[in-house]
Amino acid sequence: MIDESLDAIMHVMEQAFDPAYGEAWNRRQVGDALMLPNTHCVVVGAEPASPLREPGDAAGFALLRHAADEEELLLLAVSPQHRRRGVGRRLLVQAMLDARARGSAYLFLEMRDGNPAEFLYREFGFEQIGRRPGYYRGAADGPIDAVTFAKRL
Ligand SMILES: CC(C)(COP(=O)(O)OP(=O)(O)OC[C@H]1O[C@@H](n2cnc3c(N)ncnc32)[C@H](O)[C@@H]1OP(=O)(O)O)[C@@H](O)C(=O)NCCC(=O)NCCS
């Protein structure tokens, strides 16, 4: 099960993140995370009823970490060819349902300032709770702030 999820996640990961920002995780990082009992993933296909028979069928994924009554959205990604068709929205809905089912009361996330993902997060009622100046230093065009959002589930 972990291997299947890992292959599907890496299929999306390799296409979804702009290398200019160094945000993508490598296979080992994801594999190690999935081994932890408090780390969970959601993987979906291009359409709500799409079967996931092989890694290439994955259109997007979310990776979450649960601690006490809090959950952190570690990564959310959709392959470029499947964007703006509601896949990200579907992932976020499922991630929030799963988090609530695990007993979480809050969902936190952190993103690079200026990431258009903010539009999606705000649509779901996430509110900005913090900013870390110059937190992302891997960016080709200089340090970028990290912005933290939270939502009560
Ligand atoms: C952010 C991301 C997951 C969104 O996935 P998606 O499947 O395109 O999102 P959806 O189609 O569900 O979008 C839902 C709504 O969010 C908003 N939205 C999503 N992407 C947007 C963009 N690039 N610009 C403006 N609004 C955007 C829109 O309101 C959109 O609704 P609409 O298409 O009806 O206007 C995707 O762009 C992605 O994988 N980005 C790269 C990885 C990343 O930066 N992840 C977030 C940080 S971990």
Side-chain angles (χ1 to χ4, degrees):
M1 182 61 187
I2 285 182
D3 281 350
E4 286 170 21
S5 299
L6 181 55
D7 289 343
I9 288 170
M10 292 316 295
H11 170 75
V12 176
M13 187 88 75
E14 281 153 13
Q15 314 169 54
F17 287 92
D18 185 339
Y21 300 113
E23 293 168 321
W25 292 22
N26 63 33
R27 188 177 179 87
R28 172 144 190 205
Q29 288 171 306
V30 180
D32 286 352
L34 290 176
M35 298 282 278
L36 300 172
N38 66 339
T39 304
H40 310 275
C41 67
V42 181
V43 180
V44 299
E47 302 295 333
S50 300
L52 292 172
R53 293 197 199 90
E54 52 185 68
D57 292 335
F61 74 88
L63 197 61
L64 297 119
R65 184 168 51 209
H66 174 212
D69 70 341
E70 295 179 0
E71 200 104 11
E72 184 182 3
L73 183 62
L74 299 170
L75 288 173
L76 176 80
V78 173
S79 296
Q81 69 270 32
H82 296 301
R83 288 190 190 155
R84 300 308 289 268
R85 292 187 202 152
V87 178
R89 207 179 263 138
R90 193 148 44 87
L91 282 165
L92 207 45
V93 167
Q94 191 60 53
M96 291 191 293
L97 287 171
D98 291 356
R100 277 185 70 165
R102 287 189 284 267
S104 294
Y106 295 92
L107 181 56
F108 294 89
L109 66 89
E110 193 163 79
M111 53 155 241
R112 155 176 54 84
D113 193 19
N115 189 332
E118 177 170 351
F119 293 106
L120 175 62
Y121 299 139
R122 290 208 183 268
E123 177 187 318
F124 279 86
F126 282 84
E127 290 180 359
Q128 187 179 331
I129 57 163
R131 173 178 292 270
R132 291 169 158 168
Y135 183 78
Y136 291 102
R137 297 194 173 266
D141 47 356
I144 299 178
D145 294 356
V147 192
T148 311
F149 289 86
K151 177 184 165 60
R152 199 179 198 317
L153 294 171

